[in-house]
Amino acid sequence: MNVYRAETIEAVRAALQPRRHQTRIGFVPTMGALHAGHARLIETARRECGCVVVSIFVNPLQFDRADDLARYPRTLDEDLALCDALGVDVAFVPAAGEIYPVEPECTVDIGRLGEHLCGRGRPGHFRGVATVVLKLFAIVGPDTAYFGEKDAQQLAIVRRLVADFNLPISIAGVPTVREPDGLALSSRNRRLDACGRRQAVSLYAALQHARASIARGATDPHTIAAEAAAVIPGGENLRLEYLELVDPNTMQPVPRVDGPVLAAGALWVGDTRLIDNVMCDPARAGG
Ligand code: PAF
């Protein structure tokens, strides 16, 4: 393997030191279980930067449930092989004790950006995300960091983190990669059985319904969301946690759709929680 595996902060900093100021450092933070969505992030970084760093770290601070953390898929050997195949220079694979030698006293307060969508159902989740992202930025010191648009609320929080803390890092959002039927790629999809996999695509269908309503001129967010939610079939195995229309920058619900909005949802398929979103623009034909 050509990819250099760094397990300590010291090792990753030492590996990047000679490259810094000579080339752009592109950074893709991940929790592993890499799939084609991550590959798209890495390929984008590879095209734009002379040196590409991928971190693989399942961050305990962002899990609100111990069972979810325990069951999060871990596929390190395959992940490293993919990084190698995609020409990643450095894979940063720290143990939990390297990132959190002691429980942190100082964490990032993400304010109103975490009030809705996933922030409401997963208390403390985005505080954990923003805290580890800030730490990883401080360790890697990238020029550009790449995040998937599937995690739209996370992306909005990271953009705001960088702006509010004056970090000299550009944040690149990379479009969601989907299966042919529309299901957004996610590390959690591998937990679905065949029936759950068929049901899972109903979240995307519901979001597309919202998008079509907006394209036809609908403006009341509650009606749009309720009609979209009705697309999801009833049944014991499916539970819609939320489907909301929010401002794409502030992540606050809109009182009326009179500009671009993000339709975002979270669906439980059995005990697997999936999220997705689509941008809806009433000014553009087709939403
Ligand atoms: O999107 C993820 O995989 C994680 O939230 C991130 C950004 C790597 C932080 O742990």
Side-chain angles (χ1 to χ4, degrees):
M1 280 207 195
N2 292 321
V3 59
Y4 173 68
R5 172 177 171 165
E7 295 186 0
T8 63
I9 295 169
E10 200 185 344
V12 79
R13 284 194 172 136
L16 295 176
Q17 189 51 39
R19 321 275 323 251
R20 218 175 275 295
H21 309 303
Q22 286 182 354
T23 188
R24 290 188 69 74
I25 295 181
F27 178 42
V28 182
T30 81
M31 297 207 297
L34 303 184
H35 51 65
H38 295 109
R40 182 74 57 86
L41 300 178
I42 296 170
E43 285 159 358
T44 309
R46 185 67 289 168
R47 266 198 313 279
E48 297 179 356
C49 304
C51 177
V52 176
V53 184
V54 172
S55 63
I56 299 173
F57 177 62
V58 182
N59 172 35
L61 207 62
Q62 70 188 73
F63 284 81
D64 49 319
R65 290 174 21 237
D67 63 313
D68 194 26
L69 172 61
R71 285 183 344 121
Y72 199 83
R74 288 162 172 87
T75 57
L76 186 57
D77 291 344
E78 290 97 314
D79 293 348
L80 290 172
L82 182 70
C83 287
D84 196 47
L86 294 175
V88 170
D89 297 281
V90 178
F92 178 41
V93 188
E98 181 69 8
I99 299 295
Y100 301 114
V102 292
E103 194 167 329
E105 284 293 336
C106 302
T107 57
V108 179
D109 175 358
I110 45 118
R112 293 194 318 147
L113 282 162
E115 279 175 358
H116 294 276
L117 310 181
C118 294
R120 190 160 36 204
R122 302 186 68 188
H125 167 65
F126 286 119
R127 179 179 60 92
V129 170
T131 301
V132 82
V133 167
L134 184 59
K135 283 166 79 73
L136 291 168
F137 283 175
I139 292 164
V140 173
D143 296 291
T144 305
Y146 297 80
F147 291 84
E149 288 178 353
K150 183 177 83 69
D151 298 307
Q153 192 171 15
Q154 168 171 286
L155 178 56
I157 288 168
V158 171
R159 286 194 197 285
R160 198 55 208 252
L161 175 81
V162 163
D164 286 350
F165 288 98
N166 306 97
L167 305 178
I169 301 171
S170 16
I171 301 302
V174 177
T176 303
V177 180
R178 298 183 181 280
E179 299 279 9
D181 66 355
L183 179 69
L185 293 196
S186 161
S187 303
R188 293 171 194 268
N189 292 355
R190 60 182 87 199
R191 286 194 201 159
L192 300 170
D193 61 16
C195 170
R197 169 63 188 82
R198 279 194 301 279
Q199 295 173 319
V201 76
S202 61
L203 176 58
Y204 182 59
L207 296 172
Q208 289 290 76
H209 189 286
R211 195 167 189 252
S213 303
I214 290 169
R216 283 196 304 273
T219 56
D220 176 43
H222 300 291
T223 311
I224 297 166
E227 289 177 1
V231 168
I232 294 174
E236 271 183 13
N237 202 38
L238 289 182
R239 183 172 70 78
L240 185 65
E241 183 181 305
Y242 68 77
L243 194 158
E244 283 186 69
L245 302 185
V246 296
D247 178 294
N249 297 314
T250 64
M251 297 288 134
Q252 297 298 303
V254 292
R256 186 185 148 80
V257 179
D258 51 13
V261 292
L262 189 78
L267 178 70
W268 286 88
V269 183
D271 59 2
T272 301
R273 184 178 180 279
L274 304 175
I275 60 168
D276 199 355
N277 67 82
V278 299
M279 274 299 295
C280 311
D281 187 348
R284 282 181 38 191

